[in-house]
Amino acid sequence: MIREVAIVGVGWSGFRPITPDLSYKELMYEAAVQAYEEAGIDPRRDVDSFVTVAEDYNEGTSIFDEYVPDQLGALHRPVQTISGEGIHGLAAAVMQILTGQFDVVVVEGHSKASNILTLPYILAFAFDPVFNRPLAVHPYYVAGMEMLRYQVESGTSHYECACVAAKNRNNALLNPLAGYGAAISAADVMASEPVAEPLTRLECAGHSDGCITLVLAAGETARALTDTPVWVRGIGWANDTPWLESRPWGEARYAQAAAEMVYRTAGIKSPRAEIDFAEIDDTFAYKELQHLEALNLCPPGAAGEWTAAGGTEIGGEFPVNPSGGALGQGHLLDATGLARVLEVVLQLRGQAGQRQIETAEVGLAFGWRGVPTTGGAAVILSN
Amino acid sequence: MKEYVYDSVYLRSKDFEEGNVLFETWDPNARYAWDAGVAIGRYLQGLKAGQLIGRHCPECDRVLIPPRMFCETCFRPTDRWVELEDTGAIITFSRCYVTWDMIRITDPQIPAVIEIDGASPGMGIMHMLSEVDPDEVQIGMRVQAVWKPAAERIGAITDIAYFKPL
């Protein structure tokens, strides 16, 4: 990258299935204050630009960007809201710093999923109105179809997929932030009710409310603000076709393309050897395996066996989702990828408590926009 | 070069009604709740009790209404609740002759921003004016809330029926 960029402050609020005690503005304020205090900055004076990630249909308010400045301290300042995955927002902020025109940029994403009373219908509204929506099936059918194709093409068993859900829910027990910790086994996961076969209920992430705020700074500013900057080494994002009728169902090509970009910008040649751990989208259990392979962190078709053998556990050779992932923390809508980034930052700083990875020097975070999309974004961070 | 790519004709409403032109429609099922949280929750409780409530910022010393737990100017937590009058002065208003579903009306609806007595200058609430000759309304006019009967109040901005001249 043409300029050094670091994360110098993080803040969060949540993550819990319901948050009736706080309005979304109060939720955002809580996370923002924490991030600014960590970074030792006053947003009214020291922040050059603010980027938030929000989708009007998730907020229940059109032109939602109008409602973000107050609680971030962004009044009368440059503010931009983008609709995308949280890591797309991080990418936008990184690019602003790379222009040389901004030294300190804030990124925010949040979820008030509990306030969306018709959430499956909002998901369904993302489907093509002519070809798909009139069929009137719960939108998770796309995940069921994708899982089936992935299993057949990669030779992955249902048990191996279920191991992801068991691992992440157990990891979440070590994470005070996580709302869905549970001591469950792969057998429990497989025995739970079918949602869209082969997908079972415990293989689908529940939803959480919460907020994540990050403070980014350019190289010299970052060093002046903190002794423990977490450096952004590379960033990448990509989309595949929206066609459900002719997409490559078995493999996540959007993740392959995002990986190619993130490794190129980070100068990484052998991802598995040069990266110590990863936080990877696991909205559905099989997605963690499919994404691991697409991100070239293991050979095609090998992720399931690797996971079942314990290779991706916290004490394993390559920990994946030590935070508990979306399965363990709850899916945070647009902010889900920022929760992945938050965990990478905490691990790289050595602040991950009971779930701390011993040799955490380089970490990868990957976010996916969920069904029915083929949009993903990745970032590589190091301490 | 040809002037157009497609053979074209004018479409008329009967072409749609008779199905000569094919199209899809969809009504989104989008329903939401909004967690009121601390500040709005207390504000709505006040409305139900027939009382307007603001919050004080210790940094700029403003009294903010509707109340909020942080001051957007100072980015500081606000520190205390302040009970306010239900009277004030019109900051700005408009006489509206089209309803929000686009029906023309002769007696205008009159939304107004009312600077509330006891809150800081420029701090107002948005409401409707009634019991007033539309032509008499002007900036600075003194008005007072007309509350719904206590039994009908539910903790909503509409617990105030409207504002009328003092």
Side-chain angles (χ1 to χ4, degrees), chain A residues 25-90:
Chain A
K25 290 183 183 177
E26 290 162 358
L27 197 73
M28 288 170 67
Y29 179 73
E30 198 169 271
V33 168
Q34 195 183 345
Y36 301 155
E37 283 300 305
E38 259 203 359
I41 57 167
D42 175 354
R44 308 295 296 128
R45 190 189 61 213
D46 303 325
V47 176
D48 299 318
S49 171
F50 300 80
V51 178
T52 71
V53 184
E55 181 76 52
D56 289 357
Y57 266 105
N58 287 341
E59 305 296 337
T61 302
S62 56
I63 322 182
F64 181 75
D65 49 299
E66 185 67 14
Y67 292 89
V68 301
D70 290 14
Q71 57 272 25
L72 295 177
L75 208 62
H76 310 140
R77 310 299 287 273
V79 185
Q80 171 193 34
T81 297
I82 67 167
S83 64
E85 215 292 317
I87 299 177
H88 287 119
L90 177 60

Side-chain angles (χ1 to χ4, degrees), chain A residues 100-115:
Chain A
Q101 301 300 306
F102 305 88
D103 285 334
V104 179
V105 179
V106 165
V107 185
E108 184 273 347
H110 66 271
S111 159
K112 264 285 189 180
S114 68
N115 280 187

Side-chain angles (χ1 to χ4, degrees), chain B residues 28-46:
Chain B
N29 182 2
R31 295 197 304 115
Y32 303 89
W34 278 273
D35 289 329
V38 183
I40 301 171
R42 182 74 185 84
Y43 185 56
L44 297 180
Q45 280 180 340

Side-chain angles (χ1 to χ4, degrees), chain A residues 348-368:
Chain A
L348 292 173
R349 287 179 178 171
Q351 295 175 340
Q354 288 187 77
R355 61 189 193 285
Q356 180 65 46
I357 295 160
E358 282 180 24
T359 53
E361 291 172 2
V362 181
L364 178 148
F366 178 78
W368 169 55

Side-chain angles (χ1 to χ4, degrees), chain A residues 19-23 26 29 36 43-44 57 59-60 70-73 75 112 115 117-118 121-122 125 130 133, chain B residues 24-40 68-78:
Chain A
T19 51
D21 51 326
L22 296 174
S23 69
E26 290 162 358
Y29 179 73
Y36 301 155
R44 308 295 296 128
Y57 266 105
E59 305 296 337
D70 290 14
Q71 57 272 25
L72 295 177
L75 208 62
K112 264 285 189 180
N115 280 187
L117 303 180
T118 52
Y121 291 93
I122 297 300
F125 204 51
V130 176
R133 238 187 270 162
Chain B
E24 292 279 346
T25 62
W26 192 268
D27 296 322
N29 182 2
R31 295 197 304 115
Y32 303 89
W34 278 273
D35 289 329
V38 183
I40 301 171
R68 49 214 91 164
M69 298 314 289
F70 47 85
C71 173
E72 72 273 17
T73 304
C74 309
F75 203 67
R76 281 281 304 271
T78 51

